[in-house]
Amino acid sequence: MGGCGGSGNTGSSGADGNTLILWTHNAGNAAEYGVVKQIVKDFNAGQSTYKVKIQAFPQGSYNDSVVAAASAKKLPCILDVDGPNVPNWAWGGYLAPLDLSQGKVAVKDQLPSTVATYQDKTYAFGFYDVALTMYSRKSVLNKYGIRVPTFDKPWTEDEFMGALAKIKAGGEFKNTLDLGTADTGEWFPYAYSPILQSFGGDLIDRSTYKTAKGALDGEKAVEWGKWFRSMVTKGYAPQKSSKSPADDFRNGKTAIQWDGSWSAQANTDKFGSDLAILPPVDFGNGPKIGGASWQWGMSSTCANKEGAQAYLNFSRQTKYFVDFAKATNTIPATDAAAAQVKGYEAGGRFNIFLKAAQEFAVVRPVTPAYPYVSTVFSKTARDILAGADVKGALDRAVSEIDTNLKTNNFYAGS
């Protein structure tokens, strides 16, 4: 999104009196959409002042619809937003700060990655998060004499590379490792920038948010890039995965898969107690995973902010946190909700994901520049996988990002 739109300061939209419009990206996701509809139904039935009406969009076209509506000053009052985009939407004038003090669930009790802040103001919150992990089978690791890593003692880089070499030498798997490289969109920065961060690099210098120099093209970033490419050149991982890497893992084609918590139940159904849910590798600066998923906010042009706030606070009940987590196979955003979701309770099989989200998660850079940074990083990572000179590719990425930052006056103001 180019330029600071300031659309939040003029015009009003999203409401006709006390009837408020809500937009969601869940048109193609019946389970999650069902929870949204239930909350709206409960809110409408529980009071007589406001009425919320839903408009659902397919995820693929949702962001474009929001941008177009913002330009036309026709945003709804209530809308969901992918967490990493919140700073850009707030800076662009799409979102208004929230007062969530009236909800039954306190903000302080949520996973930090499920509350989106920008310039010390809260603009959105989510009911759940997801966590990256590696999946394998205990029987496979045991066969090759590979230590099963634990949350407290993950694999080191040397251990991981040794494990890949042993499995590759066995010759029984099409993919020793599957990184999911056929996926598009936000997957590339979500899945691979945490590995970059574990090496010691980053997408941008977070001390100033004014340059990517040093973070994305420094020695540690180059090490990451060379490692990333080596997964292909050593024959450990395909340059481009199949369209169904999770199916490949469950069908026995893949020994180790880099995937997310959303696949945990299906993998458990397939392998039972033989499934190994592995923590991310420590490449030198600790294990890292991405943080933040879809969240809810209020448009700055909403003609009835009091009503929008009332709805958002109403939705902040533990039962809805539970419902969303169950519907989406995701990590409940609070401990109270986790206690009510099978597998995520203390000692539960999937509680490792909650711990990982608490201790390993790194939110993507909190800057309005993030959508651009994301696009540049995705292209750069693909180029590296395809054999581009690592240092040259990273230098170009830094140049492009820094030019964007300077062109937008480092996204100062709003």
Side-chain angles (χ1 to χ4, degrees), residues 50-96:
Y50 308 109
K51 182 177 182 180
V52 173
K53 289 186 175 181
I54 305 174
Q55 293 180 9
F57 296 77
Q59 182 171 335
S61 62
Y62 181 74
N63 283 351
D64 289 343
S65 298
V66 171
V67 173
S71 298
K73 299 182 175 60
K74 292 183 178 180
L75 282 169
C77 270
I78 304 157
L79 67 167
D80 55 7
V81 51
D82 198 4
N85 289 335
V86 171
N88 184 279
W89 288 17
W91 168 81
Y94 301 3
L95 300 176

Side-chain angles (χ1 to χ4, degrees), residues 33-45 127 296 311 314-317 320-321 323-324:
Y33 187 28
V35 180
V36 176
K37 288 191 287 188
Q38 186 62 54
I39 297 173
V40 169
K41 181 180 178 181
D42 293 349
F43 176 73
N44 288 342
F127 292 91
W296 289 89
Y311 170 81
F314 172 85
S315 73
R316 294 181 57 75
Q317 300 182 48
Y320 297 133
F321 282 78
D323 289 347
F324 270 114

Side-chain angles (χ1 to χ4, degrees), residues 335-384:
D335 287 340
Q340 299 180 43
V341 180
K342 183 174 175 56
Y344 284 93
E345 72 278 7
R349 177 146 202 192
F350 304 144
N351 189 257
I352 186 174
F353 296 126
L354 179 60
K355 289 183 177 179
Q358 290 169 333
E359 299 192 24
F360 298 156
V362 179
V363 297
R364 278 147 285 183
V366 184
T367 168
Y370 180 74
Y372 185 81
V373 172
S374 171
T375 299
V376 171
F377 177 78
S378 296
K379 180 183 182 302
T380 301
R382 286 192 178 87
D383 288 347
I384 289 172

Side-chain angles (χ1 to χ4, degrees), residues 47-380:
Q47 47 76 51
S48 58
T49 305
Y50 308 109
K51 182 177 182 180
V52 173
K53 289 186 175 181
I54 305 174
Q55 293 180 9
F57 296 77
Q59 182 171 335
S61 62
Y62 181 74
N63 283 351
D64 289 343
S65 298
V66 171
V67 173
S71 298
K73 299 182 175 60
K74 292 183 178 180
L75 282 169
C77 270
I78 304 157
L79 67 167
D80 55 7
V81 51
D82 198 4
N85 289 335
V86 171
N88 184 279
W89 288 17
W91 168 81
Y94 301 3
L95 300 176
L98 299 177
D99 176 4
L100 301 176
S101 61
Q102 302 305 308
K104 291 184 178 179
V105 173
V107 172
K108 66 179 178 60
D109 292 332
Q110 288 194 228
L111 285 170
S113 59
T114 64
V115 180
T117 59
Y118 175 62
Q119 295 185 338
D120 300 321
K121 295 178 181 178
T122 299
Y123 282 92
F125 71 92
F127 292 91
Y128 57 81
D129 206 349
V130 289
L132 287 161
T133 192
M134 288 189 298
Y135 294 106
S136 188
R137 282 179 278 160
K138 296 172 186 175
S139 57
V140 171
L141 299 180
N142 291 334
K143 177 179 179 179
Y144 291 99
I146 298 167
R147 179 180 73 86
V148 178
T150 63
F151 185 88
D152 296 322
K153 192 177 180 183
W155 280 331
T156 63
E157 180 182 1
D158 286 345
E159 279 187 290
F160 183 47
M161 297 304 288
L164 295 178
K166 288 178 181 179
I167 295 171
K168 172 71 175 174
E172 64 177 300
F173 293 96
K174 178 182 179 182
N175 306 314
T176 303
L177 172 69
D178 196 328
L179 294 165
T181 49
D183 210 331
T184 57
E186 187 57 19
W187 171 252
F188 260 65
Y190 175 72
Y192 310 135
S193 67
I195 303 176
L196 165 66
Q197 290 154 354
S198 186
F199 269 93
D202 207 341
L203 296 171
I204 196 169
D205 181 346
R206 298 192 191 216
S207 66
T208 64
Y209 283 107
K210 291 186 175 182
T211 182
K213 189 74 178 169
L216 188 51
D217 64 353
E219 179 183 346
K220 298 300 183 181
V222 173
E223 286 181 17
W224 163 80
K226 290 180 176 178
W227 171 88
F228 196 46
R229 172 60 181 164
S230 78
M231 294 300 96
V232 176
T233 57
K234 292 182 177 181
Y236 294 151
Q239 180 178 327
K240 187 174 182 180
S241 303
S242 75
K243 292 182 178 179
S244 301
D247 288 341
D248 287 349
F249 172 68
R250 288 190 282 269
N251 292 333
K253 296 179 181 178
T254 298
I256 301 174
Q257 188 201 3
W258 184 231
D259 197 9
S261 53
W262 53 83
S263 292
Q265 189 59 60
N267 288 347
T268 298
D269 293 344
K270 174 68 177 182
F271 296 116
S273 61
D274 192 34
L275 180 68
I277 301 175
L278 312 176
V281 176
D282 181 355
F283 287 97
N285 283 266
K288 309 291 183 186
I289 61 173
S293 189
W294 284 87
Q295 302 174 351
W296 289 89
M298 173 178 66
S299 72
S300 55
T301 52
C302 175
N304 194 330
K305 289 187 174 63
E306 185 176 338
Q309 288 272 182
Y311 170 81
L312 291 169
N313 274 303
F314 172 85
S315 73
R316 294 181 57 75
Q317 300 182 48
T318 295
K319 64 180 180 180
Y320 297 133
F321 282 78
V322 171
D323 289 347
F324 270 114
K326 288 181 176 179
T328 56
N329 289 321
T330 51
I331 304 165
T334 69
D335 287 340
Q340 299 180 43
V341 180
K342 183 174 175 56
Y344 284 93
E345 72 278 7
R349 177 146 202 192
F350 304 144
N351 189 257
I352 186 174
F353 296 126
L354 179 60
K355 289 183 177 179
Q358 290 169 333
E359 299 192 24
F360 298 156
V362 179
V363 297
R364 278 147 285 183
V366 184
T367 168
Y370 180 74
Y372 185 81
V373 172
S374 171
T375 299
V376 171
F377 177 78
S378 296
K379 180 183 182 302
T380 301

